[in-house]
Amino acid sequence: MHALRKVLVLHLHNWQRIAEEHASVVWQTAYRLLRNQSDAADCFQEAFLAAFALSQRQPVRNVRAFLLHLVTKRAIDPLRRRMRQGCHEAN
């Protein structure tokens, strides 16, 4: 149990560094996919929150790839919503 607590404390200290290091590329990806600042901001936040939660349950080997995967997956829902709205408006 002591080892787990030590890993968690280390994880929390590293999280700020990880977020600062990867924030730019995660934001660029979200904005490039969504082309909307509000949607990109939501997607950005959701990706980092999910990354933090998931990284507590399993080890992450490539943080950048993990974050980019999460932000891309989070962008899919707003994109699908837009497509559905566009289809409904066209009919």
Side-chain angles (χ1 to χ4, degrees), residues 49-87:
L49 288 172
F52 181 74
L54 290 168
S55 67
Q56 289 184 5
R57 287 186 257 148
Q58 62 189 32
V60 176
R61 289 188 213 143
N62 185 333
V63 174
R64 178 186 165 108
F66 184 56
L67 286 165
L68 292 177
H69 171 76
L70 290 171
V71 78
T72 300
K73 288 189 67 81
R74 296 303 181 280
I76 290 172
D77 287 336
L79 290 171
R80 285 182 179 155
R81 232 182 345 266
R82 286 183 201 166
M83 290 179 68
R84 280 193 299 268
Q85 288 172 348
C87 289

Side-chain angles (χ1 to χ4, degrees), residues 14-32:
N14 286 332
W15 187 249
Q16 184 174 356
R17 181 190 56 79
I18 289 168
E20 289 170 359
E21 183 177 333
H22 298 286
S24 180
V25 72
V26 173
W27 171 257
Q28 290 170 4
T29 302
Y31 190 79
R32 189 176 317 117

